[in-house]
Amino acid sequence: MLLLRAFLSARGPSGCRFAHRRAVAGVKRPSPPPAPPRPPQKPVPFTMHGFTWHDPYSWMSNLSDSVSMRHMDVYMEQEEKYAEAVMIAADADRLQRKIQIEMAPRMSSDLCSPPVRWGPWLYYRRVEEGKPFPVLCRRKASLQEEFISYNTPSVGFDLTAGKRIEQKLLDYNAESERFGGYSYEELSEVSPDHRFLAYTMYDKEKDSFTLSVRDLVSGTLLDKPRADRVANLSWAMDGKALLYTVTNSEKRPHRIFCSMLGSTKDDVLILEEFDENAYVNIRNTKDFQFITVNIFSNTSSKVYLINAAEPLNSMTLVWECEPLSNCIIEHHHKILYLFTNVAKGAVPADSHYLLCSRLEASGYGNWENVILEEPAVSLEDVDFCDTHMVLVLKEDKRYRLCSILLPLDTKGPAHLESLHPCFLPLPNHVCQIQSGPNYVYYSSIMRFTISSPVMPDAVVDYNLLNGNWNIVQQQNVLLERSKTLYGFASSVSTKPQNSKGFHVADDADSSKGTWNELTEFYACEYYDVSSGDDVMVPLTVVYSRRHKQEGSPALLHGHGAYGELLDKRWRSELKSLLDRGWVVAYADVRGGGGCGRNWHHDGMRLKKQNSIMDYISCSEFLIKKGIAHKDKLAGWGYSAGGLLVASAINARPDLFRAAILKAPFLDAVNTLLHPILPLNAVDYEEFGYPLDLEDFLAIRKYSPYENIKKDALYPSVLVASSFNTRFGVWEAAKWVARVRELTRYDPLHPVVLNLSADLVEDSKYLQIKELAMETAFLIRMVAGTN
């Protein structure tokens, strides 16, 4: 590992040496590329459940062996040169530079984050010219009640009074230098009294996050608390005390400490969890009256309450249920609300629901349902303020956002209609709604980020009292002066109001263009695809109205793991494909989220093959319907989505012309049996316990590394990985080497390994460069056009 990191750092921050050469007139560009690298094979036998197999590339993951790491250094350098040669031979390097120029203005970051109001302050992060990392700032809200962005140089000044009104709280450029030149923030929490900032920064040498607390009045760091391996933070005693969790050497959060700020006494250990399968998490309730302690294990899920005014007193158990269940507790005026998906009796819950319990002096009462279950309606999320709770609902396949006045005027469980919901306006084609920080508990203005495949993310403030809403921030994509696609847009509800508030019967108001959608230029269509066992799989298709033709090249995204939503948000880099006539499609295969808990369970562990079958069915559908040309279909998968796409390629290599696998999980058998990076119970529940024979056989059947089709012609594949990924770079390297060893070689179908450095995530330039390379690779391998 150290040798490889040294190798990367010696070649600049990107970890690759793609020479941006200009073609010289009269000089023929090299074609075809040289033969791909062939790393040494050192077969190692493994035996489990009576099965013995030999892994010729297991040495790549032997980080403690210096000889293996030297071989890995040489191999990585060969891969780097080969990737460069492939791009040049396909004339993709020049296209990469062209696309990089295209993407740069579209993907330029907002110079300032949307300001967040909390108490008397407005908090925001902005980027200073020439610096890679932002600065955390604040200013008094009373000095500037309404504003849109901080993109002007005079941001920190009151031009009328001629004085500085901005306070810099934390310069992440200086923090990066404090931690050796490369670091990033994981957590940051301002104390409720606005006096302190607690935050964690990644320490590369320790491979963990270090806690620091800064005095926002003096700007100095406190002597304590300072701790390593910190995973969570929660404030107590109105900012006089800080609770934090610490992980063990396996990165399992297992201890909770309480630090009294300004005290010279050692931090107090509040809880230590000795169960190796238990994970501890803490968070503040929205009103900061309590700290919730969640303890998850493979046997149970528990939630405790700590009184934030007396954090050293004993904690109270308020909820216990089945393992691996989602349990989030909020507090509102002596009532506890629980957002959960735990089984109802012996019947598994297919979606989340809301419970409540009155908090008494002697403890808490019985838990009861708040909203009665209704057909085709699922509760996706909930947020609270002092006057309302806001529900994110999914009705059939359509997202809804509604507010309900608090306190509730019903006794016992009620139908949603009887709670007088006020439905808030939304644009068409919503694919995700994320709740914002919403720190001001006693404000009726709540912030949400609204996402769509055909609209840049919109940060929206909703006034829950009167229905007014405005877009606080949204990226400019079209760069057309005739379109208002950045800055401030607003709409006032014109629906009649009653004593319960306002009600929007539908989202017709969103059709007036104020949402800055791109539907005039890009279409979004939905299909239900029949999979092999007659299950209908949702498929979303996006294309340019101007450029699409029948039989276009297409890129199919998939994930299908952990019950997570497939990311279908508009991404500016995809515009380079859409405007070249490509179709971008998204397959919501089983194992993923958005279709209920059963949908997730039908694509995990023993049923992982369902995810792969669904992805293949969606691929075939695109071709059968003429949406994609039969020789121009490409796949795209990230992390566990890389496993999905690679498995589909193993099963049907003839179906795909190219694929992009980013930080992929490819060596499932060996990783689950002998994890080098820590895994937890959720990972094994998702992919299977290899010590169990039935699970082991299922893992062997779907694992991409074990199921490469011998002597088959594989599509062109670009595998992108780095050391700052959940699954080690050796997984990518092993799969690439094995594919080249077993499959039929064709220089027009290259399998390329692109190794990037950790800094890519924090450098917009390097991100664009990498995305441009992937886009150019797809275009040249699939369509061959400009």
Side-chain angles (χ1 to χ4, degrees):
M1 177 71 80
L2 293 177
L3 287 170
L4 277 170
R5 289 184 179 274
F7 162 76
L8 286 172
S9 62
R11 283 158 176 77
S14 69
C16 55
R17 301 178 303 175
F18 294 114
H20 286 186
R21 304 183 180 113
R22 296 191 177 274
V24 180
V27 178
K28 186 178 179 181
R29 298 172 66 82
S31 181
R38 298 286 184 177
Q41 297 187 27
K42 307 174 185 179
V44 176
F46 294 92
T47 300
M48 177 62 62
H49 299 298
F51 293 88
T52 298
W53 67 98
H54 292 78
D55 185 354
Y57 303 112
S58 66
W59 60 268
M60 292 184 181
S61 60
N62 192 357
L63 306 184
S64 61
D65 183 65
S66 59
V67 174
S68 295
M69 290 302 96
R70 280 197 294 271
H71 287 167
M72 194 67 164
D73 281 345
V74 173
Y75 175 46
M76 290 297 99
E77 186 164 5
Q78 292 172 347
E79 288 290 353
E80 181 188 21
K81 292 178 179 177
Y82 177 67
E84 180 181 355
V86 167
M87 296 295 286
I88 292 173
D91 198 21
D93 58 331
R94 289 191 294 186
L95 180 58
Q96 177 186 346
R97 294 196 296 275
K98 179 180 178 180
I99 293 174
Q100 198 168 335
I101 295 171
E102 288 177 18
M103 288 182 175
R106 282 193 254 120
M107 296 185 63
S108 58
S109 300
D110 294 305
L111 297 181
C112 178
S113 65
V116 175
R117 181 161 187 166
W118 189 16
W121 296 96
L122 298 168
Y123 291 88
Y124 54 95
R125 298 169 192 259
R126 63 180 180 84
V127 178
E128 296 182 330
E129 186 176 356
K131 295 185 178 180
F133 302 110
V135 179
L136 176 64
C137 306
R138 71 180 179 185
R139 62 168 61 187
K140 286 285 188 179
S142 58
L143 295 176
Q144 194 171 351
E145 284 290 344
E146 292 188 6
F147 56 90
I148 301 169
S149 68
Y150 291 97
N151 293 342
T152 58
S154 58
V155 57
F157 295 90
D158 182 335
L159 298 180
T160 303
K163 62 180 181 180
R164 180 172 291 279
I165 59 176
E166 178 185 79
Q167 180 185 359
K168 289 185 180 181
L169 305 180
L170 188 62
D171 186 341
Y172 291 100
N173 299 283
E175 288 297 305
S176 179
E177 292 302 318
R178 185 162 74 96
F179 286 92
Y182 172 75
S183 185
Y184 57 92
E185 177 191 82
E186 174 75 1
L187 306 168
S188 63
E189 296 288 345
V190 175
S191 60
D193 61 357
H194 305 277
R195 172 69 187 274
F196 300 103
L197 172 68
Y199 61 101
T200 62
M201 299 293 295
Y202 180 67
D203 188 327
K204 195 171 185 178
E205 295 300 320
K206 299 176 181 177
D207 190 26
S208 66
F209 292 93
T210 298
L211 170 65
S212 301
V213 178
R214 189 173 294 272
D215 188 323
L216 298 183
V217 176
S218 65
T220 59
L221 285 174
L222 301 188
D223 293 332
K224 61 178 287 294
R226 292 196 186 183
D228 295 327
R229 305 200 308 269
V230 173
N232 293 112
L233 304 172
S234 289
W235 287 102
M237 299 174 63
D238 197 30
K240 298 179 178 64
L242 178 70
L243 276 66
Y244 59 92
T245 62
V246 173
T247 64
N248 62 6
S249 59
E250 298 297 316
K251 298 187 177 182
R252 177 180 68 87
H254 69 134
R255 291 175 178 168
I256 303 177
F257 287 92
C258 179
S259 178
M260 297 295 178
L261 273 63
S263 171
T264 58
K265 295 182 179 179
D266 291 341
D267 296 348
V268 178
L269 177 63
I270 292 180
L271 178 143
E272 182 169 11
E273 181 56 64
F274 294 99
D275 184 350
E276 293 182 355
N277 296 309
Y279 296 77
V280 178
N281 180 71
I282 59 174
R283 61 181 291 273
N284 287 104
T285 55
K286 297 291 293 288
D287 59 6
F288 281 93
Q289 291 193 29
F290 295 96
I291 296 164
T292 63
V293 179
N294 287 68
I295 302 178
F296 302 100
S297 72
N298 56 3
T299 58
S300 68
S301 299
K302 300 179 182 179
V303 186
Y304 295 84
L305 281 188
I306 295 177
N307 187 338
E310 299 174 323
L312 297 182
N313 287 359
S314 60
M315 60 182 70
T316 303
L317 177 66
V318 294
W319 179 256
E320 183 173 7
C321 64
E322 64 194 48
L324 303 174
S325 296
N326 194 13
C327 310
I328 300 175
I329 283 184
E330 272 300 341
H331 173 255
H332 180 273
H333 293 215
K334 301 293 184 181
I335 295 178
L336 298 178
Y337 287 92
L338 173 66
F339 178 69
T340 185
N341 60 355
V342 68
K344 298 178 180 180
V347 180
D350 192 37
S351 63
H352 287 83
Y353 55 95
L354 197 62
L355 301 176
C356 69
S357 173
R358 180 162 294 279
L359 195 60
E360 308 289 353
S362 58
Y364 64 97
N366 294 326
W367 291 96
E368 61 180 22
N369 269 310
V370 176
I371 303 171
L372 292 172
E373 187 175 348
E374 298 185 20
V377 177
S378 61
L379 178 61
E380 301 294 316
D381 200 2
V382 62
D383 203 350
F384 289 84
C385 66
D386 185 58
T387 58
H388 293 79
M389 67 176 173
V390 179
L391 308 179
V392 178
L393 303 170
K394 199 170 184 183
E395 188 173 347
D396 292 322
K397 297 179 181 180
R398 183 189 186 193
Y399 278 93
R400 308 295 300 273
L401 187 66
C402 74
S403 64
I404 296 174
L405 193 66
L406 292 177
L408 300 177
D409 60 0
T410 59
K411 300 293 184 182
H415 288 285
L416 180 63
E417 184 70 23
S418 65
L419 298 178
H420 309 288
C422 300
F423 286 90
L424 304 170
L426 288 172
N428 297 311
H429 307 296
V430 173
C431 66
Q432 191 172 334
I433 301 175
Q434 289 184 305
S435 181
N438 297 324
Y439 286 117
V440 187
Y441 184 68
Y442 295 98
S443 170
S444 294
I445 295 178
M446 297 189 72
R447 177 169 296 177
F448 293 84
T449 298
I450 311 300
S451 301
S452 161
V454 285
M455 183 189 77
D457 283 1
V459 181
V460 183
D461 281 352
Y462 289 96
N463 188 321
L464 305 181
L465 295 178
N466 56 26
N468 290 359
W469 61 279
N470 68 78
I471 298 176
V472 177
Q473 192 173 65
Q474 189 172 27
Q475 185 187 21
N476 184 342
V477 173
L478 295 178
L479 297 176
E480 294 182 4
R481 295 186 179 183
S482 60
K483 286 285 181 180
T484 305
L485 288 177
Y486 177 75
F488 182 83
S490 66
S491 176
V492 179
S493 172
T494 57
K495 301 290 180 179
Q497 298 187 24
N498 53 43
S499 60
K500 297 301 180 183
F502 62 95
H503 178 85
V504 180
D506 53 43
D507 296 341
D509 287 352
S510 66
S511 64
K512 298 177 182 178
T514 54
W515 281 102
N516 301 336
E517 292 180 282
L518 306 178
T519 49
E520 179 183 346
F521 305 92
Y522 303 98
C524 182
E525 298 177 352
Y526 304 95
Y527 300 91
D528 288 320
V529 178
S530 177
S531 193
D533 51 358
D534 295 328
V535 170
M536 304 307 290
V537 181
L539 178 68
T540 304
V541 174
V542 179
Y543 59 88
S544 168
R545 296 186 185 275
R546 176 182 176 186
H547 299 288
K548 182 187 178 295
Q549 298 177 354
E550 186 174 350
S552 295
L555 180 65
L556 180 61
H557 292 249
H559 185 66
Y562 296 105
E564 296 173 347
L565 282 177
L566 176 62
D567 187 0
K568 298 192 284 283
R569 297 174 299 166
W570 171 268
R571 299 210 308 272
S572 292
E573 65 268 22
L574 293 178
K575 189 174 187 294
S576 293
L577 289 176
L578 292 169
D579 290 352
R580 286 174 169 83
W582 281 63
V583 170
V584 177
Y586 303 89
D588 280 301
V589 303
R590 281 173 283 183
C595 299
R597 200 178 192 187
N598 292 334
W599 188 262
H600 169 212
H601 286 181
D602 281 345
M604 60 186 286
R605 287 184 70 175
L606 298 176
K607 299 180 179 180
K608 193 63 191 171
Q609 287 292 341
N610 287 339
S611 302
I612 302 163
M613 179 171 57
D614 292 349
Y615 187 82
I616 292 173
S617 297
C618 288
S619 302
E620 293 173 332
F621 177 87
L622 290 172
I623 295 171
K624 182 179 179 181
K625 290 295 183 180
I627 298 171
H629 189 280
K630 66 181 181 65
D631 295 322
K632 295 183 178 181
L633 178 63
W636 192 97
Y638 171 76
S639 190
L643 180 148
L644 173 74
V645 177
S647 296
I649 291 172
N650 283 343
R652 288 289 307 278
D654 60 300
L655 198 55
F656 304 93
R657 183 61 185 84
I660 302 292
L661 309 180
K662 292 178 70 74
F665 178 32
L666 299 172
D667 189 12
V669 172
N670 293 305
T671 295
L672 293 170
L673 273 175
H674 311 289
I676 296 170
L677 301 177
L679 300 176
N680 55 44
V682 174
D683 298 314
Y684 287 105
E685 280 292 320
E686 185 67 33
F687 296 106
Y689 294 85
L691 297 183
D692 176 88
L693 175 59
E694 194 175 10
D695 279 11
F696 173 76
L697 295 176
I699 297 167
R700 279 178 59 90
K701 187 176 180 180
Y702 72 70
S703 177
Y705 186 63
E706 269 69 31
N707 291 281
I708 296 166
K709 190 165 289 186
K710 187 174 177 60
D711 296 327
L713 179 62
Y714 266 45
S716 303
V717 183
L718 176 61
V719 185
S721 189
S722 76
F723 288 107
N724 193 25
T725 62
R726 180 126 188 272
F727 302 107
V729 68
W730 50 87
E731 295 222 7
K734 288 175 65 176
W735 187 81
V736 166
R738 193 72 164 165
V739 167
R740 290 179 186 153
E741 173 197 341
L742 295 178
T743 64
R744 177 153 48 99
Y745 172 67
D746 183 341
L748 298 180
H749 291 238
V751 178
V752 177
L753 176 61
N754 179 42
L755 187 64
S756 61
D758 299 342
L759 290 175
V760 169
E761 291 188 2
D762 300 297
S763 168
K764 184 63 66 175
Y765 168 77
L766 295 177
Q767 286 181 24
I768 295 172
K769 183 178 179 181
E770 191 169 274
L771 291 168
M773 178 187 179
E774 294 166 7
T775 304
F777 180 86
L778 284 174
I779 293 171
R780 285 290 184 248
M781 297 300 138
V782 174
T785 61
N786 291 322

